[in-house]
Amino acid sequence: METKDILPLITVYHRKLAETSLNFKRSLYYSINWNVRMLGIKGEKGVGKTTLILQHIKETFDNPDDALYVSMDNLWFKTHSIMDLVEHLYSKGVYFLFMDEIHKCPDWTSVLKNLYDNFPRLHIVYTGSSMLRIDNSRVDLSRRQTLYKLNNLSFREYLEYEGIASFNPHSLEDILKNHVKYAMEITSKVKVLKYFEDYLSHGMYPFYKESNTDYHIRLSEAVTQTLESDIPAVEDVTFETVQKTEKLLMIIAESVPFVPNVNRLCEALGTTRDSCLKMLYALDRAGVLCILTAELKNYKKLVSPDKIFLGNPNIMIALGGKTEIGTIRETIFANQVGATNALQYPKKGDFFACRKYLFEVGGAGKSFEQIKDEPDSFLAVDDTEIGIGSRIPLWLFGFLY
């Protein structure tokens, strides 16, 4: 292989890098240890994984050609080998490779292992679908890599991305203890309730700025691509199973929050219980659904869900399903809190977080009646700028990352 053979890849790389802005960076950017020899970043379509790694390249390398960015869905790889490409780069002293859409590479775990083992000076950064399961793959990458997950925009990030205001994130424990103080600081600078409403409608994926009125159409298309492209790339499924998964998603979208009867779902889909659960949990890993179970969620042990939400309110609108305000409130709580904390389905209330904190979600007039005698219990209330005691504004849970 010669340099002229990889010019199509270099041209795409240079074009993308030139168009990459450094004005706004996702919070994960500052948490990543970029010095490890191999790191992975997984996440849903459209959350900004490509931008994240291009920003790192642009900030880090004085000479962009000391590194190379490639997307594994580039048609160039239909007739060329990634191993031959790296052999050429390595011989030229290029030791930093950024691989986008790694799940589009056949036998990607073996490829990464061989690159890591055979090129000892090579640094690899890859991105892939949020469905990637390193621990279940045939090749053990856990000893070789660090893996991160990029979630959809938090409400805090949305405010910064819009250029409205910049604030620090807070842990769940900090918010529970100091929510009045934080809410007073934030609301003194921002009319949060208006912006929170906008965020719930269209602000959870960075591409909303370029999409404008087509945003929900593009988001719906991204969900479809996840089902029709990412699932087959990561899971060993047939075309028929993909079609059944699409049907399953629309059944849930029209009924959220969905309290599933798995046997009835199986009948409606014409499939087995195991296949139905596999589809549900695949959609959960993809971020299209949010599954709640009484025990801690375990992708190696697929139990019947106790409650199912769509992944976030923007997806609810994009799929044209039910968008009742109560469901939107519970969905955004699950999305924002569940991104950084383990959630379970409780016997009382709506959510059990970190095996300790019980939450009931509702409007400004919500009472403690359902959880009044429970320890460590809180209300997450909408339409409220500043809370009091154990009543916490719902929007403030958007400041966890």
Side-chain angles (χ1 to χ4, degrees):
M1 183 174 290
E2 300 179 14
T3 300
K4 64 180 179 63
D5 297 320
I6 66 171
L7 282 178
L9 296 179
I10 295 174
T11 300
V12 171
Y13 164 48
H14 286 171
R15 185 184 303 129
K16 282 182 172 287
L17 196 64
E19 295 175 356
T20 298
S21 170
L22 298 176
N23 292 337
F24 168 78
K25 300 185 185 73
R26 298 295 310 275
S27 59
L28 181 66
Y29 183 92
Y30 303 100
S31 302
I32 292 174
N33 179 6
W34 296 100
N35 295 319
V36 297
R37 270 199 59 208
M38 184 162 68
L39 71 86
I41 304 167
K42 66 178 185 175
E44 303 165 54
K45 284 188 180 301
V47 294
K49 301 184 297 296
T50 302
T51 300
L52 190 77
I53 61 175
L54 289 171
Q55 287 176 328
H56 172 67
I57 296 172
K58 199 164 189 173
E59 274 205 331
T60 304
F61 297 93
D62 292 331
N63 179 4
D65 291 330
D66 285 340
L68 180 65
Y69 160 91
V70 297
S71 180
M72 297 310 298
D73 62 357
N74 192 308
L75 292 175
W76 188 89
F77 289 103
K78 296 292 184 182
T79 55
H80 298 84
S81 161
I82 183 65
M83 299 302 292
D84 290 342
L85 170 64
V86 174
E87 189 72 58
H88 171 77
L89 295 173
Y90 206 74
S91 68
K92 299 294 184 180
V94 178
Y95 301 133
F96 295 87
L97 179 64
F98 295 80
M99 304 169 69
D100 215 355
E101 301 283 320
I102 191 66
H103 56 281
K104 298 299 179 67
C105 176
D107 206 12
W108 60 273
T109 50
S110 293
V111 168
L112 289 176
K113 176 184 179 301
N114 279 284
L115 289 176
Y116 184 95
D117 292 346
N118 296 340
F119 300 92
R121 298 181 66 181
L122 184 67
H123 288 255
I124 303 165
V125 178
Y126 71 85
T127 77
S129 164
S130 57
M131 299 180 63
L132 294 184
R133 290 189 292 179
I134 305 302
D135 56 343
N136 279 9
S137 61
R138 291 183 293 104
V139 177
D140 180 20
L141 295 175
S142 59
R143 294 179 294 104
R144 297 173 172 85
Q145 71 158 2
T146 304
L147 185 64
Y148 298 88
K149 183 178 180 183
L150 184 63
N151 298 296
N152 54 248
L153 285 171
S154 68
F155 181 46
R156 185 195 69 83
E157 289 178 307
Y158 170 76
L159 293 174
E160 184 176 343
Y161 191 43
E162 280 288 295
I164 297 163
S166 179
F167 300 98
N168 293 325
H170 301 288
S171 70
L172 181 60
E173 289 75 14
D174 279 346
I175 287 176
L176 299 183
K177 292 177 182 178
N178 303 303
H179 64 89
V180 175
K181 172 187 173 184
Y182 296 146
M184 290 177 67
E185 291 174 353
I186 295 165
T187 56
S188 69
K189 300 176 182 178
V190 178
K191 296 296 183 184
V192 291
L193 296 185
K194 175 192 179 301
Y195 291 116
F196 190 54
E197 184 177 349
D198 294 341
Y199 167 71
L200 296 179
S201 169
H202 62 258
M204 306 191 75
Y205 296 87
F207 64 84
Y208 75 83
K209 280 195 174 183
E210 63 189 62
S211 305
N212 296 317
T213 56
D214 292 334
Y215 170 66
H216 292 110
I217 295 174
R218 283 190 56 183
L219 182 53
S220 176
E221 291 172 349
V223 172
T224 299
Q225 289 174 15
T226 297
L227 269 61
E228 297 181 352
S229 178
D230 288 4
I231 289 180
V234 176
E235 300 281 358
D236 183 17
V237 296
T238 63
F239 176 70
E240 181 183 12
T241 298
V242 171
Q243 288 184 309
K244 289 181 179 179
T245 304
E246 291 176 326
K247 182 180 179 181
L248 173 65
L249 176 60
M250 295 316 299
I251 290 173
I252 294 171
E254 293 168 1
S255 307
V256 289
F258 191 73
V259 181
N261 182 316
V262 175
N263 291 333
R264 288 184 181 177
L265 276 178
C266 294
E267 291 176 8
L269 297 171
T271 189
T272 65
R273 182 180 184 279
D274 286 347
S275 294
C276 184
L277 288 176
K278 185 178 179 181
M279 285 186 270
L280 285 171
Y281 278 83
L283 290 171
D284 180 86
R285 293 203 324 278
V288 178
L289 295 182
C290 173
I291 287 176
L292 275 186
T293 53
E295 57 187 85
L296 281 177
K297 193 158 48 184
N298 184 344
Y299 292 115
K300 295 181 180 180
K301 179 185 177 184
L302 306 186
V303 300
S304 294
D306 292 286
K307 203 169 187 178
I308 301 175
F309 300 93
L310 290 178
N312 61 61
N314 286 193
I315 290 179
M316 291 175 68
I317 298 171
L319 295 184
K322 290 175 63 178
T323 53
E324 295 176 356
I325 186 61
T327 304
I328 290 174
R329 289 165 177 161
E330 291 184 27
T331 300
I332 192 59
F333 183 92
N335 174 267
Q336 295 289 274
V337 179
T340 54
N341 301 273
L343 290 181
Q344 294 170 257
Y345 184 73
K347 294 179 180 179
K348 291 183 179 180
D350 293 320
F351 299 95
F352 192 49
C354 307
R355 294 192 172 189
K356 181 177 182 181
Y357 305 114
L358 183 64
F359 292 94
E360 182 81 13
V361 181
K366 187 72 176 179
S367 75
F368 271 94
E369 184 61 31
Q370 291 178 273
I371 56 173
K372 61 182 179 180
D373 298 321
E374 299 298 320
D376 293 313
S377 57
F378 301 87
L379 294 183
V381 289
D382 198 10
D383 300 319
T384 301
E385 284 195 334
I386 302 173
I388 183 172
S390 296
R391 297 177 62 87
I392 304 174
L394 178 61
W395 61 263
L396 192 53
F397 292 98
F399 278 66
L400 290 167
Y401 64 93

